[in-house]
Amino acid sequence: MAETIIKIDLNKSAYENDKIHNRWHPDIPLVATVKPGDDFIVECYDWTGGQIKNDDSADDVRDVDLSQVHFLSGPIGVEGAEPGDLLEVDILDIGTFEESQWGFNGFFSKQNGGGFLTEHFPEAQKSIWDFNGMFTKSRHIPNVEFAGLIHPGLIGCLPSRELLDTWNKREAGLVATDPERVPELATLPNGETAHMGQLKGEAAKAAGAEAARTVPPREHGGNCDIKDLSRGSKVYFPVYVDGAGLSVGDLHFSQGDGEITFCGAIEMAGWIHLRVNLIKDGVKKYGIKNPVFKPSPIKPRYDDYVIFEGISVDEEGGQHYLDVHVAYRQACLNAIEYMTKFGYTKAQAYAILGCAPVEGHISGVVDIPNACATLWLPTGIFDFDINPSADGPQKKVSGGMDVPLSKDKE
């Protein structure tokens, strides 16, 4: 039986647990050390540290303190790991807590984080998803149920001092191009809410003021939100500090490609069973700049899809040059509009795209001026036929229900 080397208490604040941190910095102390070949279990808070509740109000999503996130378990040291090595991480298993069989999906207010479609959904909304073994459904979104593919949204190794400085310089430079933008262009260091694990006192205060936020993916891994990193996956991370400093968190019960609602998967607390090994000098041997992974052999089997195309022409008819971001946004909007014809509200449809195992594909990036992206919506998640037919769409979803919304405070 594998040892649980990091434990959490869902009834206590993540700030009270010194094996948890919410920033990236090379000075954060290792909280445990394992050997190559070891396997072990790590428990994880949901990414907000318990700020979101299982209820029918979106006030907590509206008011969430995003300067706190993400709460990560670690960092874990691996004996013999040195800068330039590759840390091989096997995800052996991953699951929910018996006492916490639910998760949440949210749209953040444009004034507090926003999201991929924030101009269309500018205010906070939340849906709650209940787990039944490998399946999930929501009281806020009827007529849909699907199998989850549980995975860590965030996993990576500690950065070196040089890499941390690179991140801060380039992200500060980006913010400087439009410092008043809402949402902001990047999340810069914020020491006030930093939780630096076992680093204490003035050292923690100084490091917290320059520590990188956990919001984006970077060269070390981080918040990549790759839904296929489930049980059976293998990931190869570049090592930047002695011991590697592996941390993990932001567990998702299920997610659509792109995590388009930003709080965009079904977020959950839970546990993950890992095994580690080393490839010495692996970064140079394989020319690695960013992590490489092998996907899980296990995934929900949906073999029939309605596929929506988007091109790089925005909602106002503006032409963009081979812009995949615009193209995928259009594919998502096209799917949302389609689902409303069966009775879903636009918010319910948006939540489905964030939570269900939809697939996103880059289909073309060479045919000027339009890139083409596609969104694959599995038909089997619905309890009615959502395929196009000569009879036209039949409204199957009863009205009067929607994803709870909380208006911005004045």
Side-chain angles (χ1 to χ4, degrees), residues 292-313:
V292 173
F293 79 95
K294 295 178 68 64
S296 169
I298 300 171
K299 65 184 303 181
R301 288 187 59 86
Y302 294 105
D303 54 12
D304 184 70
Y305 297 85
V306 179
I307 301 173
F308 299 89
E309 179 180 322
I311 59 174
S312 45
V313 177

Side-chain angles (χ1 to χ4, degrees), residues 163-174:
L163 187 58
L164 175 64
D165 291 345
T166 296
W167 294 346
N168 284 338
K169 180 179 179 180
R170 73 188 184 200
E171 291 170 23
L174 177 62

Side-chain angles (χ1 to χ4, degrees), residues 125-145:
Q125 296 188 253
K126 179 180 75 177
S127 57
I128 298 298
W129 296 79
D130 294 307
F131 308 150
N132 182 18
M134 65 182 294
F135 293 94
T136 186
K137 57 184 177 181
S138 172
R139 60 182 179 267
H140 300 125
I141 305 171
N143 302 91
V144 63
E145 183 178 25

Side-chain angles (χ1 to χ4, degrees), residues 308 333-346 348-349 384-388 391-397:
F308 299 89
L333 290 171
N334 291 341
I336 289 170
E337 182 65 24
Y338 181 90
M339 282 189 277
T340 65
K341 305 306 181 184
F342 296 88
Y344 286 114
T345 68
K346 289 188 176 183
Q348 289 172 328
F384 59 90
D385 186 1
I386 202 168
N387 288 294
D391 295 331
Q394 305 296 311
K395 286 203 172 183
K396 298 293 186 179
V397 181

